Amino acid sequence: MNHKGFTLVELLATMAVLAVLMLLAIPNVIGVVQNNKNKTYIEDAKKLVTLAEYKINSDPNLKPSQGSSACFYMEYLDLSKELDEPPNGGQYDRDKSYVYVLNSNGEIQYQVQLIENKNGSLMGLSKTSTLTLFGDNATSNIKSGVTVQTCSCSGNCHYRNRYQNPTNEPPKNHPYSSYSYYSSYSHY
């Protein structure tokens, strides 16, 4: 009798080889997926910096004076909600994500913080300079359980959707305190 087929030993050997290959491949695949998520954080942070640069270049009144600084929150910068899909399936915290702008001797410097909140767990990029952001190892700054840093700046510097006062009106000493500006830019 000439039976063709696999023996039990051959099937077990094949399954063992496949199991070893899977043990080697799965960590690499997980690493690639996590690296791509980290790159998404970096790219979104770069977009925020670009949006802040655009705001400052398009309206010179937003540029901080020499020696002072400003904070541009994500809520103010990303009006189109382009950054609404963070890489880990949570939501970007628009009150904790911002671009800090410093005018140091006429040179504008940027730092960015990008925080994702997923079920109360914070992850993302703590306040980081653009030098680090555009560096080769930028993804190493992405952390789970990230420490949120408040944006401290000088002058009238918090650009948000709404003002943090009971009347919800711009401060009187703010450069855009005129009613026409405030009413036409209700997102401010």
Side-chain angles (χ1 to χ4, degrees), residues 99-117:
V99 177
Y100 172 78
V101 182
L102 172 67
N103 186 340
S104 176
N105 297 323
E107 179 187 344
I108 302 295
Q109 299 170 358
Y110 298 91
Q111 293 180 349
V112 64
Q113 176 169 280
L114 186 61
I115 305 295
E116 179 182 356
N117 187 339

Side-chain angles (χ1 to χ4, degrees), residues 69-85:
S69 56
C71 291
F72 293 88
Y73 284 86
M74 183 180 207
E75 187 175 296
Y76 174 73
L77 293 173
D78 185 34
L79 301 177
S80 67
K81 308 286 188 203
E82 181 182 327
L83 303 175
D84 265 1
E85 295 184 28

Side-chain angles (χ1 to χ4, degrees), residues 6 8 17 19 81 93-94 96-97 105 116 122 126 130 139 144 147 156-157 164 168 177 180:
F6 297 106
L8 182 58
V17 168
K81 308 286 188 203
D93 191 323
R94 294 178 168 274
K96 292 182 176 96
S97 300
N105 297 323
E116 179 182 356
L122 301 179
S126 193
T130 53
T139 56
S144 183
T147 303
N156 294 320
C157 54
Q164 302 292 317
N168 203 29
S177 60
S180 63

